[in-house]
Amino acid sequence: MAARARALQAVSTDRGRYDEEIELERVDGGVFWAHVRACRLDRHDPRAGCIWVIEDISHRKAAEQEINQLAFYDPLTSLPNRRL
């Protein structure tokens, strides 16, 4: 999983933070959008551990997609409009 490698690499740097929106897979196989954040507890001691926050943002991503669809495509034919 490339996202996990990116997260671990970012947390292990001097900055010690990670922040990304990615698609994750649930145990039951369903896919959802998540905002993943991580921060090291102690910047000077990598063994101190990290705090991870995974927030489900599926509803926000669906709303963004719907706004994009309404802005750039005709609602009746789904063809691109002039703005696109």
Side-chain angles (χ1 to χ4, degrees), residues 29-83:
V31 177
F32 71 102
W33 276 97
H35 185 187
V36 180
R37 295 180 295 261
C39 181
R40 262 195 337 216
L41 293 173
D42 184 0
R43 289 185 354 178
H44 305 292
D45 184 11
R47 295 174 294 153
C50 300
I51 293 177
W52 292 80
V53 177
I54 302 172
E55 179 184 4
D56 186 347
I57 59 169
S58 299
H59 293 294
R60 182 172 62 95
K61 285 293 192 178
E64 287 175 3
Q65 184 177 4
E66 183 179 0
I67 289 168
N68 185 47
Q69 181 74 21
L70 291 171
F72 297 114
Y73 295 90
D74 181 71
L76 182 62
T77 63
S78 297
L79 292 173
N81 63 18
R82 289 183 184 181
R83 287 187 200 150

Side-chain angles (χ1 to χ4, degrees), residues 24-32:
L24 295 177
E25 186 175 346
R26 290 187 181 94
V27 176
D28 65 359
V31 177
F32 71 102

